[in-house]
Amino acid sequence: MANTLDRRAAVKSLLSNRGDMLVLTGLGGTCWDAAAAGDDPLTFYLWGAMGGAAMVGLGLALAQPERRVVVITGDGEFLMGLGALATISAEKPKNLGIVVIDNEHYGETGMQPTHTGRGIDLAKLAEAAGFAATSVATDEASLAKAIAVAREAPGPALAVFKVSAAKHPLVLPPRDGAYLKDRFRGALLGAQSVL
């Protein structure tokens, strides 16, 4: 598959007109992509919890069943936590969408190739695990469908955005973990929940 999508433009399209959707990012590049699309109190940036984004997203989806939860993570981070596919599928959260920004590289550790560049198909793995919906976007024509799967399809849903490995300038969201937790919790549950 050709990786032709621009990751920043794809994430911006994913997050445009998001309403009250809860967003959780994986580490590094996905944090910066979400921040570049517009920082929002209903976005929780994990920053460095490699391998854990999908499971944190599952917990959030189970805790907030009336809200759509979208996890934005990279292929390297997602590959590190593949066991999450089975747990998520067993729990069957209808409100969970996972977007994998797949540039076929470990961007945070030196651009070493990941297994997706060697034929591992994350959408097929999710489908085999029992995800209700999957989609792969390889170009602008297929991006709209993949976004709809992530944002609207009964979950668990997984959308893979095949993006180029081009570097983008850093757009850093807040980095203070306690601040991010309090901000997210306040936006989700109200100001009293932070006290």
Side-chain angles (χ1 to χ4, degrees):
M1 272 179 224
N3 291 23
T4 61
L5 290 170
D6 177 87
R7 66 184 298 146
R8 289 280 165 89
V11 171
K12 185 174 183 176
S13 293
L14 171 69
L15 296 179
S16 69
N17 302 312
R18 67 185 265 187
D20 67 351
M21 183 171 71
L22 305 176
V23 175
L24 185 126
T25 72
L27 76 157
T30 58
C31 287
W32 309 326
D33 295 336
D39 186 33
D40 188 292
L42 290 175
T43 298
F44 191 78
Y45 306 96
L46 283 180
W47 274 100
M50 189 164 182
M55 290 304 288
V56 175
L58 171 63
L60 184 58
L62 294 175
Q64 294 292 318
E66 302 304 315
R67 303 282 289 272
R68 186 63 175 196
V69 175
V70 173
V71 174
I72 306 171
T73 188
D75 54 311
E77 196 269 346
F78 192 72
L79 283 163
M80 188 173 201
L82 276 183
L85 288 173
T87 303
I88 291 167
S89 189
E91 290 296 326
K92 297 179 180 24
K94 301 258 182 251
N95 60 326
L96 179 61
I98 298 172
V99 174
V100 180
I101 305 300
D102 183 5
N103 67 2
E104 300 178 356
H105 291 86
Y106 290 100
E108 302 314 304
T109 61
M111 294 303 284
Q112 303 89 344
T114 68
H115 293 45
T116 62
R118 298 177 66 195
I120 299 302
D121 186 325
L122 297 176
K124 285 183 181 175
L125 287 173
E127 197 174 291
F131 272 51
T134 63
S135 183
V136 177
T138 57
D139 54 28
E140 291 298 325
S142 54
L143 183 60
K145 179 184 178 207
I147 288 172
V149 164
R151 288 181 57 155
E152 302 163 14
L158 181 122
V160 178
F161 293 4
K162 297 294 275 185
V163 301
S164 77
K167 292 265 187 197
H168 289 279
L170 299 182
V171 178
L172 301 177
R175 193 167 188 167
D176 182 307
Y179 167 77
L180 287 169
K181 173 198 58 105
D182 290 344
R183 180 180 84 158
F184 185 78
R185 186 177 177 133
L188 177 60
L189 302 173
Q192 271 82 302
S193 68
V194 180
L195 301 175

